[in-house]
Amino acid sequence: MNKRSHSIAFWAGVAVFLVAVLSMTQIVRNEYPFFAGYVILQFIALAVAWTILGGYAGYVNFGTNAFFGVGVYTAVALFKATGAPLVVQIAAAAVVGMLLGFGVGLLTLRMRGIFFSIATIALAIIIETFVMNWRFVGGAAGIQLQRPPVMAPFDSYVKMLFFVQAILVVIAVGIARYIQNSRMGRGLQALRDDELAAECTGVPTLKLKLVACMISGALMSAVGAPAAMYLQYADPSSAFNLTYSVSALAMSLIGGTAHWIGPVLGAILLGSTQQFLAVTISSEVNVLVLGIMLVLFVVGAPKGIIGLLRPRYRLRAGGKQ
Amino acid sequence: MTIAAPDAPLLQVGTLTKTFGGFTALDNISVDIRKGERFGLIGPNGSGKTTLINCISGALKPQAGSVVFCGEDITQLSPHLRARRGIARSFQIPRPFKSMTVLENLMVGLDFAAAGSAAAEEEIAMSILTRMGLAAKAMAPSDTLSQVELRKMELARAMAVRPKLLISDEAMAGLSSSEVDEVLDLLISLGEEDITIIMIEHIMQAVMRFSERVMCLDAGKIIALGEPAEVMANKRVQEAYLGT
C-alpha cells in the first residue's frame, strides 16, 4: 500500500472507531463498561503521548504522573474558579502541560538517560507537594466536585467522558502518526540513536526535543483533565500517583515504541488485564502483573508486540545510553 | 581586506584555544584552508586533532579564537547550523543511526541539511551510495554492516549533507591495506568534485598520497605546516612521532 491509501485506511479506521464508541454510548444501558473502558482509553492516550518523547526520541520520562496531575488540577482549579465547561478545562490543561513540557525539554539540554528520568520523577514530587499545600483546590485532603448536567446526546456523564476520552485517543494517535511519518520523526529517531551524529548531520536536536516534550506533555495533561469529573473527586496522591508513569512506560515498551500502534496495543492488553484483575482478584494485583509482564517482554520480546509482529521495526525499546 | 575574493580561504581558523580544565588541548591555532584543497592533519595521539575538528564542526566551543567559514563567523553556531552551511564530518569511531537502514541514514542529512523533495532525495541518496560502493547495502540495517562498510557509510552520510567541507576523522583506522586504498580512492575522487577535504589520519602513506598540504599538531600546537614531503622531513615532526 502506498502512503495515500495508508492514510485513507487510517482515517476510515478512526471514523469507524468513533462511530462505534458513539453508538455504544447510545445503545448500552449498563454504565460499568464505560467506567472501565474510560480507564483503558485514558491509558491508550497516555501511552501514545509517552511514546512521542520516550519512544521516538528515547528520553524516558518518568514524570507522566506530573503531567497527568497537572492536567487534573488545571481542570479542578478552572472549574472551581469559573465553572468552565469540560472542553475548556481540557484545552487549558493542554496549554499548561505544554508549558511544563517546555521546562522538561530544557532539562534535556544537560541530562540524558537515567539522569533525565530521575529529574522527571523529582519534578512530579515538587508539583505534587505544591498542590498538597494549595488550599483553593483542597490541599492534601482533596476536593469533591459536583458534575454539571450532562450534554445531549448522552444520558450519563460517564458515557460522555468515555466519548471525550475516545476523541483524545484519536488526537494523540493522529499526532503520533503524523510525527512518525514526517521529517520530525526521522530527526527524533536520529537523535535517539546518536545525538551528536544527528546534530552534525543537520538535525536541530534541541528544537526537536523541545517540540516532542511539549506535544507529549500537552497530550498527557489533556488526558488527565477529565479525570476529576470522572471520579467527582481529586486528591494529590491519586492525581500524581506514580502508577500513571509506570503504566504509560510499561504499556509503551510492551507494545513497542517504534510505531504508534505499539503503545495502543500495549495499553489495550495491559489496561484490560488490569481492569479484569481489579474486578476478579484485587486492584493491588495490577501492579504485580504489570511488573511481571514488563519483565517477560523485556526478556522475551525486547521490541515489544510490534517487534514480534513485524521484524522490520527492529528499533530499540526506548532509552539512551 | 577583500571579502569573498575567488581565492579567499574556505575556512579560516583564527587563534583558536580550547582548554579542558587545566589541560590545554589547542593552543592558539591559526590556519587557513583553501577552497578545493586536500588537507592532511596529523599528529600523535592526544595532540588535539579531533579537538580541532570538533571546534570546526561545532561539537565543542573554543574558549578563544574564531572559526570563519565562507566569510561568515560561525564560532558560536551549533553543529546543525554548520552542517546546513556545508560542513560535514565523519567520526573516529563510527556513529551510525543504528536503528535505521543505510539509505535512511543518508536521508537524515538530505532531510535536514539539504532540503528537497522526497523522491529526489531518495535518488540523490542512491547515487551517493552507488559512488561509495554501498548501493547493494541500501536497505540493510546499519548495525549489520562490516567495519569498512560502516566507514564508507559515515562518509556517505556526510556527503548527504551536500558539504563544501568534508572532515574525515580517521576513516581508515582499523582497515586492511586494500580497504585503506579503497577508502582513500573515494576521498580523492570526492576532492576532485570541488569538495574541500580535511583528513585526519595515522596511516602515513595514505596521508602522503592524499594531501596537498599537511599540518602536524603536537600537544595542541602546530609544529609543521606545508607540503607533505617537507612536513615528513621536519625534525620536530619525527621527534613528535618517534620520541627523542
Side-chain angles (χ1 to χ4, degrees):
Chain A
M1 271 201 294
N2 63 23
K3 239 180 182 168
R4 205 187 146 81
S5 52
H6 261 300
S7 272
I8 294 170
F10 173 77
W11 290 110
V14 164
V16 170
F17 170 69
L18 285 179
V19 168
V21 166
L22 188 61
S23 15
M24 193 177 148
T25 61
Q26 303 303 311
I27 298 163
V28 180
R29 303 288 297 274
N30 184 353
E31 279 209 358
Y32 177 74
F34 300 101
F35 207 77
Y38 173 89
V39 177
I40 296 172
L41 289 177
Q42 166 187 292
F43 275 119
I44 295 176
L46 272 185
V48 170
W50 186 91
T51 300
I52 292 173
L53 182 66
Y56 295 172
Y59 275 81
V60 173
N61 179 4
F62 254 100
T64 306
N65 57 336
F67 289 97
F68 188 89
V70 161
V72 171
Y73 273 95
T74 304
V76 168
L78 202 62
F79 182 69
K80 196 182 170 199
T82 67
L86 190 62
V87 180
V88 178
Q89 294 171 31
I90 293 172
V95 171
V96 178
M98 188 178 280
L99 293 176
L100 185 62
F102 184 78
V104 169
L106 291 179
L107 288 179
T108 67
L109 262 178
R110 299 206 154 262
M111 285 183 251
R112 270 168 221 176
I114 191 81
F115 303 102
F116 174 77
S117 303
I118 291 171
T120 56
I121 297 181
L123 182 79
I125 295 171
I126 292 167
I127 300 175
E128 183 182 349
T129 309
F130 171 78
V131 172
M132 272 191 179
N133 292 284
W134 188 13
R135 279 294 157 82
F136 180 70
V137 292
I143 186 171
Q144 296 275 353
L145 296 162
Q146 191 66 50
R147 283 176 186 158
V150 66
M151 277 188 290
F154 303 100
D155 57 3
S156 94
Y157 211 84
V158 170
K159 288 182 183 178
M160 184 176 88
L161 287 177
F162 180 74
F163 184 68
V164 167
Q165 201 59 260
I167 291 176
L168 287 175
V169 166
V170 167
I171 293 174
V173 167
I175 291 175
R177 180 176 177 273
Y178 175 77
I179 291 176
Q180 189 185 315
N181 295 333
S182 71
R183 225 167 61 120
M184 182 182 169
R186 200 186 311 266
L188 289 174
Q189 191 183 351
L191 80 86
R192 182 192 57 192
D193 283 353
D194 193 317
E195 209 156 322
L196 178 62
E199 184 72 28
C200 287
T201 316
V203 179
T205 54
L206 178 61
K207 189 177 121 193
L208 290 190
K209 288 188 293 184
L210 283 174
V211 173
C213 284
M214 287 165 75
I215 293 174
S216 174
L219 287 172
M220 286 175 176
S221 293
V223 172
M229 284 298 161
Y230 170 76
L231 292 171
Q232 295 176 282
Y233 174 76
D235 75 289
S237 51
S238 36
F240 290 91
N241 201 310
L242 196 63
T243 311
Y244 290 113
S245 302
V246 178
S247 300
L249 180 149
M251 288 164 179
S252 300
L253 296 188
I254 285 173
T257 56
H259 191 287
W260 58 265
I261 195 79
V264 174
L265 295 176
I268 292 174
L269 178 69
L270 269 183
S272 10
T273 313
Q274 283 182 335
Q275 287 302 311
F276 176 73
L277 290 174
V279 178
T280 52
I281 307 176
S282 95
S283 56
E284 298 301 314
V285 182
N286 283 347
V287 187
L288 179 68
V289 170
L290 198 93
I292 292 172
M293 283 177 87
L294 190 57
V295 170
L296 286 180
F297 268 89
V298 164
V299 174
K303 278 126 202 167
I305 299 172
I306 56 170
L308 291 176
L309 298 178
R310 300 175 68 168
R312 194 175 97 74
Y313 296 105
R314 317 163 313 103
L315 306 183
R316 308 288 182 279
K320 273 186 185 304
Q321 277 147 15
Chain B
M1 197 176 93
T2 48
I3 295 165
D7 54 350
L10 182 77
L11 179 78
Q12 293 167 281
V13 175
T15 61
L16 208 63
T17 298
K18 175 73 194 173
T19 59
F20 297 103
F23 176 74
T24 305
L26 291 177
D27 188 4
N28 220 357
I29 300 286
S30 296
V31 63
D32 287 356
I33 313 274
R34 291 189 293 265
K35 193 163 181 295
E37 188 168 15
R38 296 200 304 267
F39 192 86
L41 182 53
I42 62 170
N45 290 328
S47 60
K49 303 182 296 294
T50 299
T51 304
L52 177 59
I53 68 150
N54 276 339
C55 287
I56 295 172
S57 67
L60 291 173
K61 296 248 155 60
Q63 269 80 15
S66 65
V67 180
V68 175
F69 184 69
C70 293
E72 181 192 6
D73 188 337
I74 58 166
T75 320
Q76 296 306 322
L77 290 187
S78 53
H80 73 270
L81 293 174
R82 301 188 195 206
R84 287 177 188 182
R85 279 162 178 72
I87 299 181
R89 67 174 292 186
S90 70
F91 292 91
Q92 194 169 357
I93 296 159
R95 308 178 73 138
F97 301 131
K98 54 187 184 298
S99 69
M100 301 184 188
T101 64
V102 172
L103 185 69
E104 285 168 339
N105 262 271
L106 268 67
M107 295 297 283
V108 174
L110 287 164
D111 263 357
F112 283 92
S117 75
E121 279 180 9
E122 239 176 90
E123 218 165 276
I124 297 170
M126 278 314 297
S127 76
I128 295 172
L129 286 176
T130 309
R131 290 223 28 200
M132 297 287 172
L134 278 179
K137 293 276 178 181
M139 296 303 158
S142 61
D143 59 0
T144 61
L145 296 187
S146 70
Q147 190 64 16
V148 64
E149 287 165 344
L150 267 182
R151 299 280 179 183
K152 286 183 186 170
M153 193 194 76
E154 283 257 314
L155 289 175
R157 189 176 68 190
M159 287 301 294
V161 172
R162 314 259 87 190
K164 296 190 183 88
L165 174 66
L166 175 67
I167 306 170
S168 153
D169 192 354
E170 293 198 32
M172 297 159 213
L175 300 187
S176 72
S177 66
S178 67
E179 290 167 339
V180 165
D181 284 338
E182 220 178 301
V183 174
L184 192 59
D185 288 340
L186 274 175
L187 281 173
I188 291 175
S189 78
L190 295 177
E192 281 160 5
E193 289 181 14
D194 232 22
I195 296 172
T196 309
I197 301 176
I198 300 177
M199 182 178 89
I200 297 187
E201 204 43 77
H202 277 307
I203 303 167
M204 281 309 152
Q205 88 221 52
V207 177
M208 296 291 282
R209 209 184 118 200
F210 174 82
S211 314
E212 291 164 348
R213 273 199 306 163
V214 172
M215 177 165 92
C216 180
L217 288 179
D218 185 30
K221 290 192 174 71
I222 301 175
I223 57 171
L225 174 61
E227 306 243 317
E230 201 180 297
V231 171
M232 296 303 164
N234 187 308
K235 205 156 182 291
R236 288 185 63 193
V237 174
Q238 291 172 356
E239 279 171 9
Y241 266 92
L242 301 172
T244 39

